[in-house]
Amino acid sequence: MIRQERKKKMQRTELGSALVARCALEGEFVLRSGAVSKWYFDKYQFEADPLLLGEVAEHLKSLVPAHTEVLAGLETGGVPLAVALGLTAKLPMAFVRKQAKAYGTARLAEGADISGRRLLIVEDVVVTGGQIVKSVAELRERGAIVDEALCVIDRSNGKVPLLDEAGIKLIPLFRADEIHGS
């Protein structure tokens, strides 16, 4: 069955409601940070849906700083977001591994050249920012200029000391308390 394309862009509140309806799970979940939560945001549900992913990319596009030269999608959830956003914003993309591969090119970031370029980290959900900090440190070692990260959901609700300490500004589409009340 071929899905109908959405004709007009969703309003931000409508998008938030759609993301919660599609992705918010209730229960007891251990987050990547080790914290236990009563709800979990299964981001792969919207990342695998072309219409919902397209809506997210349309809304993220307006948050991309004008000086951005390359979108850097973090493995794994940030990669489809970077691709969708790159297509929408017409920006080149780099796909950042959790660690450089040990074979072939042995690169940490595949795709667009990052050395000397201003990157915008693209991530799906941020809780503590630990992976962003680790990836940014490695990207900076390779000559990238990185001081901002864009995400769909900020589960910390604006309290990410690790990012602050690393000089990385977080730009969320939504804070968790805006769309889930927690």
Side-chain angles (χ1 to χ4, degrees):
M1 178 172 135
I2 297 175
R3 294 179 68 176
Q4 296 269 330
E5 285 196 36
R6 183 173 282 280
K7 299 289 187 229
K8 84 175 194 178
K9 182 177 168 181
M10 282 184 182
Q11 294 297 313
R12 187 173 180 276
T13 54
E14 183 183 9
L15 177 59
S17 295
L19 289 171
V20 168
R22 183 69 185 260
C23 305
L25 305 175
E26 302 287 332
E28 188 168 305
F29 303 93
V30 177
L31 305 178
R32 179 171 181 205
S33 65
V36 176
S37 176
K38 292 181 181 176
W39 78 278
Y40 182 75
F41 189 80
D42 186 357
K43 69 261 183 179
Y44 296 113
Q45 295 305 307
F46 83 80
E47 289 177 340
D49 180 321
L51 296 180
L52 198 49
L53 178 60
E55 288 289 341
V56 168
E58 282 294 329
H59 284 268
L60 288 174
K61 179 177 151 183
S62 67
L63 300 176
V64 174
H67 57 259
T68 301
E69 296 178 279
V70 176
L71 300 171
L74 299 188
E75 179 186 350
T76 298
V79 170
L81 283 169
V83 170
L85 183 55
L87 290 169
T88 303
K90 307 296 186 232
L91 285 167
M93 299 146 272
F95 312 117
V96 183
R97 300 173 183 280
K98 287 189 169 103
Q99 61 183 27
K101 64 183 185 177
Y103 57 92
T105 60
R107 291 187 182 134
L108 174 72
E110 301 286 354
D113 184 31
I114 62 167
S115 183
R117 297 180 84 188
R118 185 166 292 282
L119 275 56
L120 175 64
I121 297 297
V122 180
E123 185 63 297
D124 45 24
V125 178
V126 174
V127 178
T128 66
Q131 186 58 50
I132 292 174
V133 170
K134 181 179 182 235
S135 294
V136 166
E138 293 184 36
L139 290 165
R140 286 172 175 164
E141 286 175 10
R142 289 162 174 80
I145 304 161
V146 190
D147 53 16
E148 296 157 321
L150 179 68
C151 71
V152 178
I153 306 289
D154 170 10
R155 285 207 56 160
S156 76
N157 294 316
K159 300 174 187 100
V160 194
L162 290 176
L163 294 181
D164 294 340
E165 291 168 17
I168 304 164
K169 176 185 174 191
L170 184 62
I171 307 166
L173 178 57
F174 293 104
R175 287 187 334 267
D177 61 0
E178 289 180 287
I179 62 171
H180 195 267
S182 58

